Amino acid sequence: MVFTTIFLICSFLYLILGTIDPYVKFKLEGKQFYKCKVVYKSLNPRWNDEGYILILCFREYIIIRISISGHQFIMSFLYLHRTYEMELLLDDPKSKEDNMGVILVDVCLMFRDATIKRSPNQAALSTRPAETQRNQLKNQMWTGVLGITLVEGQDLPQHGRGDIYVRFRLGDQKYKSKNLCIQANPQWREQFDFNQFEDNQEPLQVEVYSKRGRKCEESWGLFEIDLSRLPLNERQLYTHVLDPGKGRLVFLVTLRPCWGVSISDIETAALENPDERDTVVDRFSLKNSHKCVGEVGLLQVKVVKANDLPATDLNGKSNPFCVVELGNSKLQTHTIYKTLNPDWNKAFTFPIKDIHDVIELTVLDENGDKAPNFLGKLAIPLLTLNCSDYFVLFVSQVRAGIRTFQPKETTLMEENVKFSKKVLARNIYRVRKISTAVLYTLQYIKSCFQWESTQRSLIAFLIFLVTVWHWELFMLPLFLLLLLGWQYFQLTGGKASPNLDLVSDTDKDCEHFSIHPYTSESGKKGLMDKIHMVQEVVLAVQNVLDEIANIGERIKNIFNWSVPFMSCLACVVLFVATALLYFIPPRYIVLIWGVNKFTKKLRNPYTIDNNETLDFLKRVPSDVQKVRVQFYIQIGKEFPEDVCIICCSRIPKCCRNISSGFV
């Protein structure tokens, strides 16, 4: 048994009349290794923040001893994967106050995920044994998926202006809802998934926040949901009461079993077994397409090795490991220490939820107590992935097509959008290009009316007469289908290209809006508030322009056959629409559509309404996304450009000159 003692010193808080801006510092042997965020103007702060300290070389438990201002001692035994709530009394020998308040701290001992970012001053205590790495690989695999639907708030206070949002947390997984204006019954109607790990017994934490201004946030209620007794495949409705006078929150939780997640050596990979492979083939065959519609496919990735990695340590070596991500799911290899040519020889299998996801392989350098160093990244869209020695892909085309018309999975950890002059200028240029194309088309039609070209106007006039005289509604999707077919033959004949006029990705060089300091604190505060308000307006304009440009470019890319799967799917939909409109009177189709829309809320009060057309368009990449997603390799700026990153069987021609070490 290994005995480890930790001394944690929390800085004291003066909980007296008035308001303060409290925060907590954690120190180890006099050195600060973590500082939490500041909660402004509060005597009862809720930080809901977390910090990590690396504890190496333990087996069953450790002993923790906490010292508050050198007086109060608390000793506790910490066992793996158990959360302990500690109430720490604050004390200050220089103060005359008898009650300085308390701090509630949750302490949990768990296996370390090397991708967790830590503060620069965190320290390691010993050398990690080899069995810890093996346990870490095992603890990455999830056995279930927790589907959460945030429905609405009820009887919330309406006083004042501001926004309200909800935060969900399960272990390291976090989700923040969209901001809604404060109202009595806000309707979020958002759905997202958390992975449920077998060894993780932590509860689901839910907290409601109100936000007024740039810094003022207030918690309206925090509660936890015990997931240990949650039944499988049964939707559970929760209506939790918030703090007194703050109303209630309504949400749904469904625990579904997960199939197909594994980490193994390449020699013992799951799909190397012929019986297992036949089972997977049968599971995603055409005859079983109606079963388990949510399971689109299965992907196996073999991470073999990397060659000629850059050195990050003073001894000319690195400690590399590889992280494989698909959507919100993530698995990683073990770390191989002191090498530039690691051999991982691991096979990962992922269940595929959306055929439009991108598989990302990132090589990082384990940096002990600090955040890992970035070494390189490779991203491959699943639609462009072919089966090979390193990738095995099984997909049900029917389920993939159905999933395309459903809402896209929400990204749990989204980056905050910032104002950028270059991004704003790029979006204005994109919208201007689309509007120019529309104006050119209108001018072309006007020229036919003006008889600027007799031959062109005569042909247009005859087409107009024939079309109007014989017009039927089914001709509209038929016309779009013919347009798609004509564009396809143009592309195959080499008369057009799907990648013309692509907008280059300039996000990396964006110059973000910055504020220069002033000497006057009051003037600085007032100016900062005004600039922040203007910045929010400009950011909203930037985002609206981006959405308009995305819709126009996505429609163009469908007809350009930029993504053949999406264009083929559009052809099938247009063909079916043409047949339905030809054989069925439009009034019946409109009647069925209207009855479905009006009765959807009656049939399922907690349903999330969606627009199938917009869900379909969101799967089509815009010009900017095409530049970002199509087979890119991102190299760290501080490293040479001829560095090899990851083993891959297919390398785009445009990347071969910078990836000579790939195999």
Side-chain angles (χ1 to χ4, degrees):
M1 182 188 307
V2 178
F3 182 83
T4 306
T5 305
I6 306 174
F7 299 92
L8 297 176
I9 303 178
C10 299
S11 63
F12 50 84
L13 304 177
Y14 293 96
L15 300 184
I16 56 177
L17 294 177
T19 59
I20 58 174
D21 301 333
Y23 62 90
V24 180
K25 291 181 180 179
F26 292 86
K27 296 182 179 181
L28 174 65
E29 297 178 350
K31 296 182 179 180
Q32 176 182 323
F33 68 88
Y34 179 71
K35 175 184 174 182
C36 75
K37 64 183 179 181
V38 180
V39 177
Y40 295 91
K41 299 180 180 179
S42 176
L43 295 179
N44 299 287
R46 290 178 179 268
W47 288 286
N48 291 323
D49 210 346
E50 62 181 14
Y52 302 89
I53 181 170
L54 189 59
I55 301 173
L56 305 178
C57 189
F58 66 90
R59 293 182 180 178
E60 295 181 357
Y61 62 88
I62 66 171
I63 299 178
I64 182 173
R65 183 170 63 179
I66 299 178
S67 173
I68 301 295
S69 303
H71 292 279
Q72 182 73 23
F73 288 90
I74 299 177
M75 298 193 64
S76 176
F77 288 83
L78 300 185
Y79 290 87
L80 276 172
H81 305 298
R82 296 183 186 178
T83 301
Y84 300 85
E85 181 175 317
M86 300 181 179
E87 184 175 296
L88 310 179
L89 299 177
L90 300 181
D91 184 25
D92 182 12
K94 298 180 181 179
S95 175
K96 298 180 180 180
E97 296 288 337
D98 295 332
N99 183 12
M100 296 297 297
V102 298
I103 292 181
L104 298 181
V105 179
D106 289 342
V107 182
C108 181
L109 181 65
M110 65 185 70
F111 287 113
R112 175 194 172 207
D113 181 356
T115 61
I116 295 177
K117 293 184 177 180
R118 296 172 175 80
S119 58
N121 295 325
Q122 290 177 336
L125 301 182
S126 183
T127 304
R128 178 167 55 185
E131 60 267 18
T132 304
Q133 294 183 348
R134 292 193 292 269
N135 292 332
Q136 180 183 352
L137 294 178
K138 181 180 178 181
N139 293 335
Q140 294 181 67
M141 295 182 290
W142 59 97
T143 58
V145 176
L146 202 67
I148 303 174
T149 302
L150 176 59
V151 182
E152 62 182 0
Q154 297 178 352
D155 301 329
L156 270 61
Q158 304 182 55
H159 57 273
R161 297 181 179 180
D163 297 331
I164 185 172
Y165 63 90
V166 185
R167 286 187 180 273
F168 293 84
R169 177 179 173 182
L170 180 62
D172 295 332
Q173 303 171 96
K174 300 177 183 179
Y175 177 80
K176 176 183 176 297
S177 72
K178 60 186 177 183
N179 289 11
L180 296 181
C181 295
I182 294 179
Q183 50 186 302
N185 299 293
Q187 301 290 319
W188 280 284
R189 306 282 170 170
E190 301 180 32
Q191 199 279 330
F192 59 95
D193 293 336
F194 279 159
N195 291 332
Q196 177 72 0
F197 298 88
E198 183 178 8
D199 296 334
N200 186 7
Q201 302 299 326
E202 294 187 21
L204 173 66
Q205 296 182 354
V206 186
E207 187 165 13
V208 181
Y209 283 93
S210 69
K211 181 178 181 181
R212 293 178 174 85
R214 186 159 55 99
K215 295 182 178 180
C216 184
E217 289 186 353
E218 179 185 0
S219 175
W220 282 9
L222 170 67
F223 51 89
E224 296 180 345
I225 304 297
D226 184 12
L227 304 176
S228 59
R229 300 181 179 180
L230 201 65
L232 288 175
N233 297 320
E234 292 186 16
R235 188 176 66 179
Q236 303 293 317
L237 174 64
Y238 292 93
T239 303
H240 267 269
V241 179
L242 305 178
D243 291 346
K246 302 300 183 181
R248 300 181 299 275
L249 184 69
V250 180
F251 60 97
L252 305 170
V253 178
T254 305
L255 180 60
R256 306 186 302 270
C258 184
W259 172 84
V261 183
S262 68
I263 304 177
S264 62
D265 295 330
I266 289 182
E267 295 78 9
T268 60
L271 297 182
E272 298 299 322
N273 187 342
D275 295 335
E276 184 71 22
R277 196 182 187 97
D278 293 340
T279 302
V280 174
V281 172
D282 182 70
R283 191 183 186 96
F284 298 106
S285 61
L286 183 61
K287 65 179 181 180
N288 293 324
S289 298
H290 63 285
K291 301 178 181 178
C292 301
V293 181
E295 297 178 0
V296 174
L298 186 70
L299 172 68
Q300 178 176 278
V301 182
K302 295 181 181 179
V303 181
V304 184
K305 63 181 180 179
N307 297 328
D308 302 328
L309 292 176
T312 58
D313 297 336
L314 296 178
N315 59 3
K317 301 293 182 179
S318 296
N319 304 320
F321 64 96
C322 181
V323 179
V324 185
E325 298 178 81
L326 182 64
N328 289 323
S329 302
K330 178 180 66 174
L331 296 173
Q332 73 179 56
T333 67
H334 59 286
T335 303
I336 299 182
Y337 295 92
K338 299 180 181 180
T339 181
L340 301 181
N341 302 286
D343 290 326
W344 292 292
N345 292 316
K346 292 295 180 181
F348 304 90
T349 56
F350 292 87
I352 299 176
K353 299 180 181 179
D354 196 335
I355 192 60
H356 307 279
D357 282 338
V358 177
I359 183 73
E360 298 182 357
L361 297 94
T362 308
V363 175
L364 300 172
D365 168 66
E366 185 174 336
N367 199 15
D369 55 321
K370 300 180 181 179
N373 297 318
F374 174 80
L375 299 181
K377 184 175 183 179
L378 172 68
I380 306 176
L382 293 181
L383 284 173
T384 59
L385 195 62
N386 293 333
C387 291
S388 64
D389 293 337
Y390 302 102
F391 298 98
V392 181
L393 181 67
F394 295 97
V395 176
S396 172
Q397 298 293 337
V398 176
R399 299 178 191 174
I402 295 174
R403 184 69 179 86
T404 302
F405 293 92
Q406 297 175 354
K408 194 173 183 180
E409 184 181 17
T410 305
T411 304
L412 297 182
M413 301 301 293
E414 293 185 347
E415 296 182 359
N416 294 328
V417 181
K418 297 181 179 180
F419 168 69
S420 169
K421 293 182 288 185
K422 289 189 176 182
V423 174
L424 179 61
R426 183 189 65 191
N427 292 341
I428 293 175
Y429 168 74
R430 294 165 64 197
V431 173
R432 184 185 301 169
K433 187 172 63 172
I434 296 173
S435 61
T436 302
V438 174
L439 291 176
Y440 177 79
T441 304
L442 295 177
Q443 290 177 357
Y444 184 85
I445 297 174
K446 184 178 180 180
S447 67
C448 294
F449 295 151
Q450 300 294 332
W451 291 83
E452 296 178 2
S453 173
T454 305
Q455 181 182 3
R456 182 176 61 192
S457 298
L458 182 60
I459 295 175
F461 182 58
L462 293 177
I463 293 175
F464 170 76
L465 292 178
V466 173
T467 303
V468 173
W469 184 259
H470 298 283
W471 172 257
E472 295 290 344
L473 191 58
F474 74 88
M475 293 182 180
L476 178 60
L478 179 61
F479 169 75
L480 297 176
L481 180 60
L482 293 175
L483 186 60
L484 269 170
W486 178 79
Q487 186 67 18
Y488 175 77
F489 288 113
Q490 289 284 102
L491 293 172
T492 55
K495 298 180 180 180
S497 172
N499 296 324
L500 288 176
D501 300 328
L502 283 184
V503 181
S504 61
D505 185 11
T506 57
D507 288 346
K508 299 177 183 178
D509 301 323
C510 291
E511 297 177 2
H512 298 294
F513 197 78
S514 60
I515 307 299
H516 296 286
Y518 288 84
T519 54
S520 174
E521 289 296 328
S522 59
K524 176 182 176 181
K525 183 177 180 181
L527 180 62
M528 288 291 292
D529 291 338
K530 293 179 181 178
I531 292 179
H532 177 74
M533 185 167 52
V534 173
Q535 186 174 340
E536 285 185 340
V537 175
V538 178
L539 181 60
V541 174
Q542 172 182 301
N543 294 336
V544 170
L545 293 176
D546 182 62
E547 289 297 325
I548 295 174
N550 283 340
I551 292 175
E553 291 171 354
R554 286 166 176 165
I555 295 175
K556 179 198 71 174
N557 290 333
I558 291 176
F559 288 94
N560 281 349
W561 290 79
S562 298
V563 184
F565 177 82
M566 300 298 294
S567 298
C568 290
L569 194 59
C571 289
V572 173
V573 172
L574 291 175
F575 177 79
V576 173
T578 302
L580 290 177
L581 291 173
Y582 181 79
F583 292 105
I584 302 176
R587 66 173 63 90
Y588 293 117
I589 298 177
V590 175
L591 183 63
I592 294 173
W593 173 84
V595 170
N596 175 65
K597 285 292 184 181
F598 277 102
T599 60
K600 182 181 289 187
K601 189 70 178 292
L602 299 177
R603 288 182 277 117
N604 185 3
Y606 306 110
T607 185
I608 298 178
D609 198 13
N610 68 295
N611 188 308
E612 290 79 7
T613 304
L614 291 180
D615 292 335
F616 175 81
L617 285 177
K618 287 181 179 180
R619 298 315 205 286
V620 183
S622 63
D623 289 350
V624 174
Q625 291 170 335
K626 284 171 65 177
V627 174
R628 292 179 184 174
V629 172
Q630 283 183 346
F631 279 112
Y632 73 88
I633 300 175
Q634 179 182 352
I635 307 295
K637 294 182 179 180
E638 66 274 24
F639 305 134
E641 292 187 351
D642 58 349
V643 175
C644 163
I645 301 301
I646 305 172
C647 300
C648 179
S649 61
R650 296 182 69 240
I651 305 172
K653 293 181 179 179
C654 61
C655 297
R656 287 177 182 169
N657 59 336
I658 62 170
S659 56
S660 58
F662 280 71
V663 297

